[in-house]
Amino acid sequence: MIEPRYGVLQTLFADRVFRIPHYQRFYSWQKRQRDDLFNDLRKLATGREDQHHFMATIVCHRTAETKNVGAVQYRVYDIVDGQQRLTTLILLLKSIELALPEASEDRHDLARTLVKRDGHLILLQTNNANEFNFNRFIREGVAPSKAEIETHSDRNLASAIRECAQFVDSWTSSRDILSLMRLVLHRLGFVVFDTEDSRVVYTVFEVLNSRGLAVDWLDKTKSVLMGRMYELSVSAAATEAEIESLQGIWSQIYREIAKEDVPGEEILRITATLYYGPGQGKPRSAEESLDLLRKEAVSFEKPRQISMRLLDVARKLVNLYASTHLGPVTEILHARLLAVALKSAPGVNEDERRKLLEQWERVTFRIFGLFDKDSRTKVGDYVRLGSRIVTEDIETRTYNQIMAGLRELGRDYPIDEALKQGLISKDCYDHPEECRYLLWSYEEHLADESGAGATVDEHEKSGVWALRASDSIEHIFPQTPTGAAWQGKMRSADGPAQPIELNVGRIGNLLLLPIQLNQEAQNFPFDAKRRTYTKHNLRMVQEVCKESDWTLSEIEAREARIVAWAKTRWSDV
């Protein structure tokens, strides 16, 4: 029997330390959740002194492990549910500590709550992707520098530290800092579920989170699979070994998705749709997917096998999300699902897989980029092809048959018509993500043309994709030209003047340029712009710098070159 009890942080922290096990998710709260918490605190401050605010439930596994610091003994509790809120509150308490006068007893007392008097034992211990940066901040008050922020989870934690400090600053502008400290420690209420039986932990977690989307679907899936493992147990020794293996797999899953902002729900949905729910013409919902996996877990080995599949899908999705330059072809869910299937196809060698993924990219950009179709287009075709690739007999998974399926996807979207629809004489700046993707592909083409050993500049690439797409694109002929230098230039050699607004967004007039050079170039005459352009290393910029003037003739000539290249680039392999 497990008895929930109500408590505030001050009593919750009295005789225990918390640990986030390695198989739990990294810190993933976003600004929206933190703002909700801060608003709750502001509202609570306007109420009566004896008024509490119920925050959430916390589910803990009470381990047999204890930590001794002097005469005080702390029991170690593994957090199964509630770590996001608890982590944020501890970050907030650290920010409060740093805002208190250095010599004050209150600061000293709060510091000893967060880091016990041995200077080592932390109130909340992490064993995941956030471990180093979190522990250092709690012990030393040092936030991660820009150079130390390498992954998605690092960015989340750094944002939380910064926003907690900002909230404390805003509070102290009109209220006493001690009032915030008292409020957090004494007036936030939690219902705590403690148990020493790890079987019960996962049952409680699933029951508490059986409705709504407050908990990530991937976390729910982990809990269901852990619970099924116990239910299917054949012996205590076998269960202990299998649970340890399962925890190791989930630790790897969370370390993977700490790298990129991959939704856990998507990992679940793609895994279930490809491997456990084939034949449906659309990706399974999260609820359906979890139900499919629960029904699949019918033997003792199944939870581990399912978890391994989830890990494999997670790795492939992280790789896709990290390929930021593929944005326009990875923003469609069913396109990502098919890419995962291609990366998993068992009947092809790696060279064939590369060609299949290239064909997938070409077809997908024709459909959703050049033809500008919405996300409902070809859902069933993409999903059914993906399912056939990973689940049917080997005869249906040969390179030639998969390639034929990919070509069939694009049969109704031929390259010549795609170029007419989405590139020739079109305002490409109106679709900046697709425009940037196309221009970067052109840069790679120019590098290839330069001969053996020529490569694109990875530093320049990172700089381009660190910006919003619209901020990375430069109009050579200005959108709003001023002065005499541009007068009469929007015309071909012997033709009449053409409307500027119909031509400045054409692909022939657009470059990728870092924002500082973009701002420097402004709407100056072409000679001045060219001097700015020479500060940049991209080959497309160097190509433009070879021109002596920039008129409609140059725009049309450059567009024709890019269109001729694009016809080859996005035709079928």
Side-chain angles (χ1 to χ4, degrees):
M1 196 66 185
I2 180 170
E3 292 291 338
R5 66 185 183 89
Y6 179 84
V8 294
L9 290 182
Q10 184 67 32
T11 56
L12 197 62
F13 293 165
D15 59 353
R16 64 178 74 191
V17 290
F18 299 93
R19 180 171 61 198
I20 301 172
H22 64 89
Y23 56 87
Q24 296 283 30
R25 177 182 291 273
F26 53 91
Y27 181 74
S28 57
W29 258 20
Q30 304 290 318
K31 186 177 187 302
R32 178 177 59 80
Q33 288 97 348
R34 290 188 289 269
D35 283 345
D36 287 343
L37 171 62
F38 298 153
N39 287 332
D40 288 342
L41 293 171
R42 291 187 185 99
K43 290 177 184 176
L44 186 58
T46 64
R48 301 188 316 271
E49 282 291 326
D50 61 346
Q51 180 183 344
H52 283 201
H53 175 74
F54 174 66
M55 293 295 290
T57 57
I58 297 177
V59 180
C60 294
H61 176 221
R62 187 168 60 243
T63 73
E65 187 177 347
T66 58
K67 300 285 187 180
N68 297 321
V69 180
V72 182
Q73 185 175 76
Y74 298 95
R75 177 67 71 94
V76 178
Y77 288 74
D78 283 347
I79 302 179
V80 176
D81 188 25
Q83 65 135 314
Q84 302 292 334
R85 196 176 304 271
L86 193 57
T87 301
T88 307
L89 287 168
I90 288 173
L91 292 173
L92 179 58
L93 285 169
K94 184 64 182 184
S95 296
I96 293 171
E97 177 206 321
L98 295 173
L100 288 166
E102 285 192 29
S104 73
E105 285 296 319
D106 296 300
R107 177 166 177 157
H108 180 267
D109 291 343
L110 184 52
R112 286 290 174 85
T113 298
L114 299 176
V115 183
K116 305 312 175 186
R117 70 181 190 182
D118 65 351
H120 175 73
L121 183 61
I122 297 178
L123 175 64
L124 177 64
Q125 301 155 49
T126 59
N127 293 292
N128 56 28
N130 294 131
E131 181 175 5
F132 174 78
N133 286 327
F134 178 83
N135 289 357
R136 187 176 62 171
F137 178 67
I138 300 302
R139 284 199 182 102
E140 304 172 26
V142 177
S145 67
K146 285 185 178 181
E148 294 167 326
I149 299 173
E150 298 178 349
T151 66
H152 166 61
S153 65
D154 291 337
R155 287 190 292 274
N156 273 345
L157 183 66
S159 295
I161 291 171
R162 182 180 64 254
E163 290 166 22
C164 284
Q166 290 170 346
F167 174 70
V168 169
D169 285 344
S170 69
W171 186 281
T172 55
S173 67
S174 58
R175 299 182 181 95
D176 176 18
I177 186 66
L178 287 177
S179 68
L180 178 58
M181 179 176 165
R182 288 192 298 269
L183 190 152
V184 172
L185 289 174
H186 299 286
R187 294 175 59 191
L188 299 180
F190 296 83
V191 171
V192 183
F193 292 83
D194 289 340
T195 178
E196 293 181 357
D197 188 344
S198 52
R199 297 169 183 252
V200 176
V201 165
Y202 296 109
T203 303
V204 172
F205 177 89
E206 186 174 358
V207 170
L208 289 175
N209 298 289
S210 60
R211 297 181 179 86
L213 294 174
V215 176
D216 187 277
W217 283 98
L218 193 63
D219 297 345
K220 292 183 182 182
T221 303
K222 177 189 64 182
S223 181
V224 166
L225 293 176
M226 293 278 189
R228 288 295 289 154
M229 179 72 75
Y230 281 112
E231 292 169 12
L232 297 164
S233 171
V234 293
S235 72
T239 300
E240 183 178 350
E242 199 70 2
I243 282 291
E244 186 175 342
S245 173
L246 204 59
Q247 290 173 347
I249 295 168
W250 279 91
S251 175
Q252 292 180 67
I253 290 173
Y254 286 128
R255 287 191 178 276
E256 280 297 317
I257 62 176
K259 300 172 185 174
E260 298 289 336
D261 190 12
V262 179
E265 176 181 335
E266 184 172 319
I267 297 169
L268 168 64
R269 294 179 66 193
I270 288 180
T271 303
T273 303
L274 285 177
Y275 294 102
Y276 304 107
Q280 180 167 294
K282 62 180 181 179
R284 298 277 181 174
S285 71
E287 189 170 358
E288 284 180 305
S289 298
L290 181 54
D291 192 47
L292 283 170
L293 268 56
R294 182 188 284 110
K295 290 176 179 176
E296 182 71 17
V298 294
S299 65
F300 187 60
E301 300 80 13
K302 281 291 185 178
R304 177 172 46 81
Q305 293 170 0
I306 293 169
S307 297
M308 284 298 298
R309 211 154 241 172
L310 288 162
L311 172 58
D312 183 62
V313 170
R315 284 172 170 159
K316 291 175 170 61
L317 281 172
V318 166
N319 181 263
L320 276 177
Y321 273 72
S323 303
T324 52
H325 61 287
L326 292 178
V329 296
T330 57
E331 64 182 11
I332 306 296
L333 174 60
H334 50 276
R336 296 194 296 274
L337 180 147
L338 180 54
V340 168
L342 292 169
K343 287 173 176 284
S344 306
V348 299
N349 62 43
E350 290 311 303
D351 184 59
E352 290 171 336
R353 194 185 313 280
R354 179 187 59 78
K355 292 177 182 175
L356 291 171
L357 286 165
E358 186 177 341
Q359 175 66 14
W360 160 83
E361 181 188 346
R362 293 181 181 211
V363 168
T364 302
F365 184 62
R366 290 209 307 267
I367 297 172
F368 300 104
L370 296 173
F371 273 95
D372 196 27
K373 294 298 180 180
D374 66 29
S375 60
R376 295 168 294 181
T377 304
K378 291 278 184 179
V379 176
D381 297 302
Y382 272 78
V383 171
R384 282 187 288 270
L385 178 58
S387 296
R388 290 201 303 273
I389 289 169
V390 300
T391 59
E392 293 193 0
D393 294 337
I394 193 69
E395 287 76 14
T396 68
R397 296 187 304 216
T398 65
Y399 168 78
N400 287 336
Q401 286 167 323
I402 297 173
M403 182 62 79
L406 290 168
R407 286 175 174 155
E408 181 61 23
L409 282 179
R411 185 169 61 84
D412 296 332
Y413 302 92
I415 185 60
D416 288 336
E417 187 61 29
L419 295 173
K420 291 178 185 176
Q421 291 280 338
L423 191 57
I424 299 172
S425 298
K426 300 299 180 181
D427 186 347
C428 294
Y429 188 70
D430 196 41
H431 295 84
E433 293 288 348
E434 289 80 2
C435 180
R436 175 167 60 176
Y437 164 76
L438 190 149
L439 285 172
W440 187 260
S441 297
Y442 184 59
E443 178 67 21
E444 292 176 327
H445 157 71
L446 293 176
D448 289 340
E449 277 197 329
S450 298
T455 59
V456 295
D457 188 321
E458 289 298 322
H459 177 72
E460 300 286 4
K461 181 178 180 179
S462 298
V464 165
W465 256 269
L467 304 171
R468 291 187 310 166
S470 56
D471 289 339
S472 68
I473 299 170
E474 153 77 351
H475 293 78
I476 307 168
F477 194 107
Q479 293 172 289
T480 54
T482 57
W486 291 106
Q487 289 183 7
K489 295 293 181 70
M490 190 52 78
R491 67 172 74 237
S492 300
D494 299 315
Q498 298 296 317
I500 291 174
E501 64 273 13
L502 297 182
N503 291 283
V504 291
R506 292 170 64 174
I507 197 68
N509 191 51
L510 302 176
L511 288 175
L512 293 179
L513 206 64
I515 192 167
Q516 65 272 20
L517 295 183
N518 197 331
Q519 294 170 342
E520 185 179 330
Q522 296 188 37
N523 56 1
F524 291 137
F526 182 64
D527 283 345
K529 277 178 170 271
R530 192 166 50 185
R531 288 194 293 273
T532 297
Y533 294 164
T534 57
K535 301 175 185 179
H536 200 39
N537 298 321
L538 290 183
R539 288 174 174 85
M540 72 177 77
V541 178
Q542 296 167 7
E543 183 185 49
V544 168
C545 286
K546 294 175 183 177
E547 302 291 346
S548 59
D549 200 0
W550 198 257
T551 69
L552 182 58
S553 292
E554 282 72 31
I555 293 173
E556 291 174 335
R558 184 166 178 263
E559 180 180 286
R561 290 196 301 273
I562 292 176
V563 168
W565 155 77
K567 183 171 182 177
T568 301
R569 173 64 178 81
W570 284 288
S571 294
D572 288 337
V573 171

